[in-house]
Amino acid sequence: MTAAVLTATVSSPESVARAADPSGAPAEAGWVKSTVEQVLPGVWRVRFGTPERFTPAAVRESAPRREGFELLPPAGPPPFAPETIRGRITRSRTAIYVPCDEPGEEIYGFGLDPGAYEQKGLFKHLTVCAGVVGKTGASHGPVAFYVSTKGYGIYVDTARVPDVQVARLTPNDSASASTDTSAGLKTSERDLYAARPAHGRTEVLFDLPGNSQGVDVYVFEGPTMREAVERYNLFSGGGAVPPLWGLGLKYRMLTRATEASVLQTAQSLRAMNIPCDRLGLEPGGQTHADSCSFVWSKERFPDPAKMTEQLRQTGFKLNLWEHAYINPSSPLYAPLRERAGDFLVWGGLVVDFADPEAFRIFADYHESEFVKQGILGFKGDECDRQPPTDATPFNFPYCSIFPSGIDGDQMSQLYGYLYQRSLFTAFKAHNLRTWSDVRATSALAAPLPFNLYSDAYTFDQYLRQLINASFTGLLWSPEVREASSLAELLNRVAMSAFAPQMCLNLWFMPHPLWEQYDGPKNKADQLLPEPEQKVVAGQLRTIINQRYELLPYLYSAFMRYHNEGLPPVRSLLLDFPQDKKIWNEDNAFMFGDNLLAAPFLGEATTRKLILPTGARWCEIKTGKWYAGGSTVTVSGAPGEMPLYARENTLVPMAEPVQHVERDTVFRLTVRVFGSKPAPFTLFEDDGETFDFAKGAANQVTLRWDPKQGGTVQRTGNFPGRRYEIVGWKTAGSPGE
Amino acid sequence: MTAAVLTATVSSPESVARAADPSGAPAEAGWVKSTVEQVLPGVWRVRFGTPERFTPAAVRESAPRREGFELLPPAGPPPFAPETIRGRITRSRTAIYVPCDEPGEEIYGFGLDPGAYEQKGLFKHLTVCAGVVGKTGASHGPVAFYVSTKGYGIYVDTARVPDVQVARLTPNDSASASTDTSAGLKTSERDLYAARPAHGRTEVLFDLPGNSQGVDVYVFEGPTMREAVERYNLFSGGGAVPPLWGLGLKYRMLTRATEASVLQTAQSLRAMNIPCDRLGLEPGGQTHADSCSFVWSKERFPDPAKMTEQLRQTGFKLNLWEHAYINPSSPLYAPLRERAGDFLVWGGLVVDFADPEAFRIFADYHESEFVKQGILGFKGDECDRQPPTDATPFNFPYCSIFPSGIDGDQMSQLYGYLYQRSLFTAFKAHNLRTWSDVRATSALAAPLPFNLYSDAYTFDQYLRQLINASFTGLLWSPEVREASSLAELLNRVAMSAFAPQMCLNLWFMPHPLWEQYDGPKNKADQLLPEPEQKVVAGQLRTIINQRYELLPYLYSAFMRYHNEGLPPVRSLLLDFPQDKKIWNEDNAFMFGDNLLAAPFLGEATTRKLILPTGARWCEIKTGKWYAGGSTVTVSGAPGEMPLYARENTLVPMAEPVQHVERDTVFRLTVRVFGSKPAPFTLFEDDGETFDFAKGAANQVTLRWDPKQGGTVQRTGNFPGRRYEIVGWKTAGSPGE
């Protein structure tokens, strides 16, 4: 026996620290000096050390959309110089300290966050997570980006799981003796400590454990939160452009659907006159808790190409459910076996999407086997992570090994993002747009046409996520599954109708939603009486028609998202950042530029609402005008979406169609609100391809003058026509 | 504007990874070869890289208790060679892979874990935590040590927060092409990947994020779990030795107690003939959610020294509540201000206990201000961490900076441990033992005389923690606070009577427990009718008397803990590791060597129990014998502890006393179970100091022969006498 281990073990107080660091390595911690560079108009990069190899920026979908920056107002400087952001790099972590003005500032963002709207004073643990973990920001889309009411945004480009202290810690004043950060890495702990400036409640602190190299921090200038968000989204590459049909209803079938049941459902929807553009299904070569084969079940779908074509002819586009854990029976298994993580999930490979070859193999397969066959969307499930409270999670561990060299925690944060990118690649190769689903994403996701969704089903969280998503370039799909009452069902459907994606998800219900909205009863074949079914179907039709009425309006908002980075469905604060009365209003949102939507939650049919200051508002249903800043109580029937038009705007509304095709022409009535409405520009193109980027698009500008009435001006090179203006309709003027 | 940031951002698939690592640093990951060394009999150290400066072993209380190893049976080798433990060290983490035999092995340990007993197949997140987080092992005492039914233990010496995958992951077989770990750190990712051997379900995986240097792993040999645990505890320094009075009842007073109310309670306890040795109180220079001043409140305690002495004369020893966040008003603030973390908690300093000088200052203050004044214990609160689900935790962040150079995550894991050590130092300086309380601890804690406690109050979790504590050298105090019924109250008190510390905690109840056990009613001065109070007091007295009857027996078990590492209150598996029928029995335990206790949970007065195979068992209450391996149903009154004596053992039982003093002599009746009982050795000393370690102790060996009756043999150099044998009492023999 040797005593090597025992020499350091004495019981005197002095034994609390080893006398000397046995590694002879440098001090545990050190402040480093940043290098600051303006990389785009109003975008500053603050670099600490050497950024890690795998970050959202390093694996991003798109280059920044430079031309978009020219459409924005001139940048307003943030209330601090980028140089005042501080950073420390140690052997265990990188920590970033961003100034924050204590009393007069509120903070928003951090991704899809279901639990919190106002972020100041909170601790965030920004991990990809399938569940809701209080207000910690764990979500399907955690993003290390926030905006401040002072009119700037901060993005920390990391694929580690950041712990963020949002201006909440109280510093030990003894630490504020010096603010010297100029001398670079300190070489003794005493020096390091002496050099530590004041921080804490007046800073937002990002802790990036496992990052021992460095990080890029980006500052996005305003002048308001709106422009900071726009700059972030343009930096990400600009917003995703949906196919026009993608904004129509998605109806997701039962897990074990068959060709017969799919065709039957398609027929029912048309027979019931319920508008629908998309059907979702599971091709069947996989089960929910097993890995994926990525092949159709021969029993359930004997001729998928024929079925796909048959559905397409009646206006249905198919979306296939899958997840990216590759079953040994899959054709993808052999080519990806050596390009996967060292652990399986549900017996399937975890694809090393950070390996360009694995990324390509996965994309190519989806292109040749599905996109070529007419499949127009995917639902990429299970790429998120189970909550840290689960003792038997199915996740791959943070210490997983991947051939590309990416760490397991980085891959866990980026898996959904890279998975989307690979699927998107399959569509882009065919010059086709998609409007798809995914369970997890990361920062810089704006250009990806994937909607996040969740198993969590709490109504107010659904709404909060819808609004929070708009701060960080995410799309959120508050899926409607079951409901405990008709009122709740209709209110849920109404909320979904005003989301980036409208979706009824019947994955565990064998019968159409209108035949039974109670999940267990639907499963047990206990259907509503037929007359009641007709009533429910009619009510669903009404709500879905409203969605289709607004399709051209919403589509145009998405083009603005693409070109200028302004989210189409967004927090009121992006339009009214100065209105302190609504700083905590997380239950209403802007739908496009001109409509404010204030959903009824749960079974409610009445609610209160603070209308933002800075505009007058016309209640669509009644034509009644309200002053900005007023608190109104609105009542209605279940399934109604209280809508308010902003004064001096135009809102084109279409006659509903049953589905959207390349040759669909929308017949529009332009609603006029106020006497001096701003022009409204519709975006016109084929609605399906990327040809618009090469110029095959029109701007259809609507103008209204009280004396001359409405005019339509069309510019651009797209030869087709999508919009026919059939009328103009004024609302009573405010104050009249 | 420069384009530096944009050069890497293209939208082709190849952009998923930067073409070249910009840092030019070595590959992200690499297997390293270990160095294996036997450091004690049956203890192997497997070293990977260079261990970090701050680990439990580096700041340990005690050197290993070498002499104890000679008392153990010869070591039995683990079912794998220490060399087969594998390790990887990267810039972000160290990962350790320990072999585990899939089908025939179960695993126990990981600290105080309230959620899980059998650990195989679980994911553990071993963070210090005040709440219960499912089965993840987050607890007041998370410990990276486990034992296996195959008869060995594994300890990973880290102060990082380990994620542990306990033999649950399925490896990607493609990874098993090679098992070459001999070549040291790989220099390319491709090499690294090719060299990766099979692992997963047949391994226990420790992920140590933030440790980029290396770690020591220790293997403790058996031959059974019992010896593996003993070796671990001896490696830790041997078990804590309580003062004899420390095993008596602790009665914790109301938060805002005063000198008058304390003296009044002391008087009541004596008047009611309720045995009690210890009173706990808050000195009042602090409030619950504020930092501590470490001075007595002048209003409430005008003359603490006098009060302490007055109480001492009636047999009460004082325990003071506090926590280690130093208020600016404290005399400790100035000397510690520069020796604290960079953030405050509740406005108070976070002491840098890893700085030997801060450690000493804190200990010295407690010695001169409290221990010298007769204070004999402390309750060190709030040194744990709030659950990761809390968005506004009071914790200091993981990226905190401390002058000593310890990281915030390491300090968070070690804060309770180092705090205890500092307090214990104050007692050792006075040659006084203590029996104290603390809210958090770490590995290698066996020598520390501090009992863990919790705000969580679920009955079955209390019991599971009591049992789990025994696998990893922890003491657990299932405090009794309020109860919803008399039955539940009495069952809780009974459980506490069989714990390392017995404690009634009335911190929020102004009246004695027997006057009202319903918390809100007690607070609202709604007391029980007086006759009922007397009944309750009588029932409490009965249970507490039973504790005092067993004091000499328990004290002797603690000396065995000290000398041999065998926990006095422990899992049945440490005595019957081969009995698969009880592998999941987490509701009964050994109390000392000879008694099995099987508590009634909740309000129950009947329960089932599997008696371990390998012994026959005598039910103490009835004298009835049961075969080992039989399932028995036991019934009783609330507050009864079903007790079973193991065949062929002796159990000395004392006449209860009201309190224990240096000159207390226990009058013992020796209960004889079976016809060939093994001798029993009582430990005899002053019960208060460390003089026993210098030889001032006796071994009092009791023997019984059916023909010759009982004999008492005393050896040793302690001149006093603590035990008088007044009788021997046989139970019916088994099979008669």
Side-chain angles (χ1 to χ4, degrees), chain A residues 121-136:
Chain A
L122 300 182
F123 163 72
K124 315 301 289 184
H125 181 65
L126 298 180
T127 176
V128 167
C129 181
V132 180
V133 186
K135 296 186 172 191
T136 61

Side-chain angles (χ1 to χ4, degrees), chain A residues 298-362:
Chain A
K298 283 213 167 56
E299 294 72 43
R300 283 155 54 193
F301 301 103
D303 191 344
K306 193 179 141 205
M307 178 186 73
T308 305
E309 181 50 29
Q310 218 170 329
L311 289 167
R312 189 68 216 247
Q313 280 170 17
T314 49
F316 291 102
K317 299 89 188 172
L318 275 183
N319 171 302
L320 299 190
W321 178 93
E322 58 164 59
H323 59 65
Y325 304 118
I326 319 286
N327 191 273
S329 70
S330 171
L332 277 167
Y333 185 79
L336 290 176
R337 194 173 168 202
E338 300 277 342
R339 299 180 180 280
D342 58 343
F343 290 109
L344 304 181
V345 169
W346 289 326
L349 301 173
V350 179
V351 183
D352 187 358
F353 284 117
D355 166 8
E357 188 59 16
F359 184 99
R360 189 193 59 73
I361 291 168
F362 192 85

Side-chain angles (χ1 to χ4, degrees), chain A residues 372-447:
Chain A
K372 255 191 198 163
Q373 316 304 319
I375 298 304
L376 283 166
F378 294 98
K379 181 168 192 170
D381 206 0
E382 319 291 13
C383 48
D384 50 2
R385 199 172 174 83
Q386 283 181 284
T389 54
D390 196 304
T392 55
F394 63 74
N395 319 316
F396 53 90
Y398 279 166
C399 62
S400 291
I401 307 173
F402 290 90
S404 66
I406 193 171
D407 266 358
D409 54 345
Q410 297 173 317
M411 183 58 108
S412 179
Q413 294 285 92
L414 292 174
Y415 201 65
Y417 184 88
L418 292 172
Y419 177 23
Q420 288 170 76
R421 279 205 57 206
S422 184
L423 291 176
F424 190 28
T425 300
F427 289 103
K428 287 189 292 185
H430 279 257
N431 189 27
L432 282 177
R433 285 181 249 165
T434 180
W435 209 231
S436 283
D437 313 74
V438 74
R439 275 273 285 213
T441 198
S442 175
L444 310 184

